Amino acid sequence: MVPNKRLADKVSIVTGAASGIGRATALLFAGQGSKVAVADVDEVGAAAAVREAGAHDSALAVRLDVSAESSWTNCIETVVARWGRLDVLVNCAGVAVATPVETTSLEEWRRVHAVNLDGVFLGTRAGIRAMRGRGGCIINIASLSGIEVFPGAAAYASSKAAVIQFSKVAAAECAHSANGVRITVIAPGGVKTPMWKTTRLWQDFADGGEEAAWRKLDPQNCFYEPEEIAECVLETC
Ligand SMILES: NC(=O)c1ccc[n+]([C@@H]2O[C@H](COP(=O)([O-])OP(=O)(O)OC[C@H]3O[C@@H](n4cnc5c(N)ncnc54)[C@H](O)[C@@H]3O)[C@@H](O)[C@H]2O)c1
């Protein structure tokens, strides 16, 4: 169990925080004493997460499209204007599609990479710029599908494999330049979120459906709750 108020006086941004892993992370961070920007394209969901976070002035809904450069500028400026700095950035926003290579359109391929990969690049760059000198940490959420082979999700897997390698290079650059910014990448197995429920990812991979597929490929034979991944994110801060 994580000790209380581990993020006291910290300022965080969690992207994709209107739902699933991002939402669980934002709520955990707020409970651990952080000021949290709940950043998402889903403004209704972000506002609901802020209400759930509860404590006065500890959470703020920010409309963010992670694939748009100008949206990142607005998000960072909003957070710094409100709370004076940025200490922790969790790049969690993501989308999944479940189509075989043969029937994946170029438009769909680009949309998945725009959110999952461009979004992590733009966020990491904005985070490094905001944290340079003061220090901080950036946690990028990839996926086990960026490592293992799940037939039927090539665009998603490609974007997540790229996030893993991108994050390693960015981490090495930060370590080399001693700018005080630490970058981590987490690649969860299957997690019980709306993303998992609304897509038909990997349905043919194992008898018993997606849960069986995830359990089969997960090194610990697990199918996770979003709160478990949120605790893992907190541990890396
Ligand atoms: N659910 C899983 O099994 C699983 C496993 C491994 C990794 N992941 C990764 O975890 C992250 C969170 O996924 P989740 O399962 O919580 O999904 P989710 O669908 O519950 O949440 C994703 C959130 O991202 C937001 N989002 C989508 N496009 C956006 C954009 N352009 N800008 C800002 N926000 C945007 C959505 O509005 C949503 O709130 C994703 O990166 C996903 O790929 C999920």
Side-chain angles (χ1 to χ4, degrees):
M1 192 60 186
V2 178
N4 281 335
K5 306 301 176 195
R6 183 166 166 166
L7 296 179
D9 303 324
K10 299 288 185 193
V11 176
S12 311
I13 296 174
V14 182
T15 76
S19 176
I21 299 167
R23 182 186 174 97
T25 301
L27 294 177
L28 180 62
F29 276 23
Q32 291 292 323
S34 181
K35 311 283 191 196
V36 186
V38 175
D40 208 293
V41 278
D42 175 2
E43 293 176 270
V44 174
V50 165
R51 280 195 299 278
E52 199 175 332
H56 178 64
D57 193 42
S58 68
L60 172 71
V62 179
R63 190 190 185 281
L64 170 69
D65 176 354
V66 294
S67 66
E69 204 165 6
S70 60
S71 195
W72 271 107
T73 304
N74 174 63
C75 177
I76 300 283
E77 283 178 0
T78 301
V79 169
V80 172
R82 177 72 170 260
W83 290 313
R85 63 181 195 282
L86 176 65
D87 302 299
V88 182
L89 168 63
V90 184
N91 286 310
C92 189
V95 291
V97 292
T99 51
V101 173
E102 197 177 353
T103 54
T104 300
S105 68
L106 181 58
E107 187 184 22
E108 198 69 332
W109 173 270
R110 284 182 174 153
R111 186 180 73 86
V112 171
H113 284 82
V115 176
N116 294 2
L117 181 57
D118 296 1
V120 169
F121 157 63
L122 291 171
T124 301
R125 190 181 67 177
I128 292 171
R129 289 173 177 172
M131 295 172 187
R132 173 173 288 286
R134 287 186 51 88
C137 61
I138 299 172
I139 300 111
N140 295 334
I141 306 300
S143 168
L144 186 61
S145 63
I147 301 168
E148 302 284 356
V149 174
F150 296 81
Y156 183 75
S158 161
S159 70
K160 293 299 184 178
V163 164
I164 292 169
Q165 192 63 6
F166 164 79
S167 301
K168 289 182 187 174
V169 173
E173 286 182 7
C174 286
H176 183 71
S177 69
N179 62 9
V181 181
R182 199 159 45 79
I183 297 179
T184 312
V185 60
I186 295 175
V191 188
K192 297 169 193 170
T193 70
M195 175 181 282
W196 170 77
K197 286 179 191 145
T198 57
T199 59
R200 303 295 302 158
L201 287 175
W202 314 295
Q203 57 185 321
D204 297 327
F205 191 74
D207 290 339
E210 290 142 321
E211 176 155 358
W214 277 116
R215 284 190 185 279
K216 187 174 171 187
L217 284 163
D218 187 89
Q220 295 170 319
N221 191 34
C222 283
F223 191 57
Y224 301 94
E225 299 294 337
E227 290 74 17
E228 293 180 88
I229 310 305
E231 293 229 353
C232 181
V233 173
L234 179 62
E235 287 293 340
T236 69
C237 288

